[in-house]
Amino acid sequence: MDLNADLGEGFGIWQLGDDAALLDLITSANVACGFHAGDASTMRRVCEGAAARGVAVGAQVGYRDLAGFGRRHIAYAFAELRDEVTYQLGALDAFCRLFRTRVRYLKPHGALYHAAACDEAQAAALVAAAGDYDDQLPLLCPPGSVLAQLAAGAGLRVVAEGFADRGYLPNGSLVPRTAPGALVTDPEEVAARAVRMAVERTVVAVDGSVVPCPVESICLHGDTPGAVRCAELVRAALIDAGVTLTPFA
């Protein structure tokens, strides 16, 4: 099982999360590429730290929306979104190359992640950008989503992702961040959910129902309160359950 986290989400003097501590615990890093968060110096620092630890670097691409942290939906023309995703891929890959690594996968962030799960136009723009840039580049996304279907149809590798620290609806989608139950912040509960995803391939939804969750990668949000403690417990619990942690890419 892969264990990923969103990193590099600071900007200038503003810092969010403990990137260095999380890099010691995860196997893949979703690195902000400067549009929803992050900047050149942050990207360089995270890429250097990931390379030193053998952590796979993925481009976490988002809407051009620093003020909204990429969590506000933006209506894009297909070509504009495709090109902005390509721009972000190239920026992060440049820093990866400084440390003899490369961008190993693509994951959309925030509102783009949710839009691409059901919006064919935005999903198609992500698939086009990824395929044009590197037709061997995997896409990390929700299982069964529109993005997953279009990527598979284009011959790209699809890696299904689950969220140990987010609430799920009975239909398998995430609880909106504005709704009760959106975040799971108790580290013990997060660890138990991660083990269930890895071993049983299921997750318990907010109504108590058991939902299939066939994933290859489990995400922890770097900006969740107590993110490092959650990651420590999740890693230990997965290993105790006999789960081998390794990057999917």
Side-chain angles (χ1 to χ4, degrees), residues 5 12 14 44 46 48 57 72 74-75 92 103-104 113 115 133 139 143-144 146 155 164 178 182 186 194 200 207:
W14 181 65
R44 181 185 183 117
V46 176
E48 182 177 16
V57 173
R72 303 180 292 191
I74 298 177
L92 185 63
V103 170
R104 297 188 180 274
Y113 188 95
Y133 192 82
L139 269 73
V146 170
T178 54
D186 176 50
E200 300 181 17
D207 67 348

Side-chain angles (χ1 to χ4, degrees), residues 46-65:
V46 176
C47 288
E48 182 177 16
R53 295 166 174 83
V55 173
V57 173
Q60 187 167 42
V61 299
Y63 291 141
R64 185 151 38 94
D65 180 28

Side-chain angles (χ1 to χ4, degrees), residues 5-11 13-23 37 42 45-46 69 220-228:
D6 302 340
L7 301 185
E9 293 184 320
F11 183 80
I13 64 170
W14 181 65
Q15 298 297 312
L16 181 64
D18 190 338
D19 292 341
L22 286 169
L23 281 171
T42 302
R45 183 178 67 251
V46 176
F69 197 61
L220 298 171
H221 286 88
D223 63 333
T224 297
V228 173

Side-chain angles (χ1 to χ4, degrees), residues 100-187:
R100 298 185 178 180
T101 187
R102 60 183 174 85
V103 170
R104 297 188 180 274
Y105 62 94
L106 181 149
K107 175 185 173 178
H109 164 83
L112 178 56
Y113 188 95
H114 295 291
C118 57
D119 184 314
E120 287 195 14
Q122 296 211 357
L126 285 166
V127 170
D132 288 348
Y133 192 82
D134 179 357
D135 62 9
Q136 300 300 306
L137 194 68
L139 269 73
L140 186 58
C141 60
S145 62
V146 170
L147 177 56
Q149 295 170 28
L150 292 184
L156 298 175
R157 180 184 175 191
V158 175
V159 178
E161 179 181 38
F163 294 85
D165 57 5
R166 289 292 311 276
Y168 277 80
L169 296 172
N171 65 1
S173 62
L174 296 176
V175 176
R177 280 185 173 268
T178 54
L183 295 178
V184 181
T185 57
D186 176 50

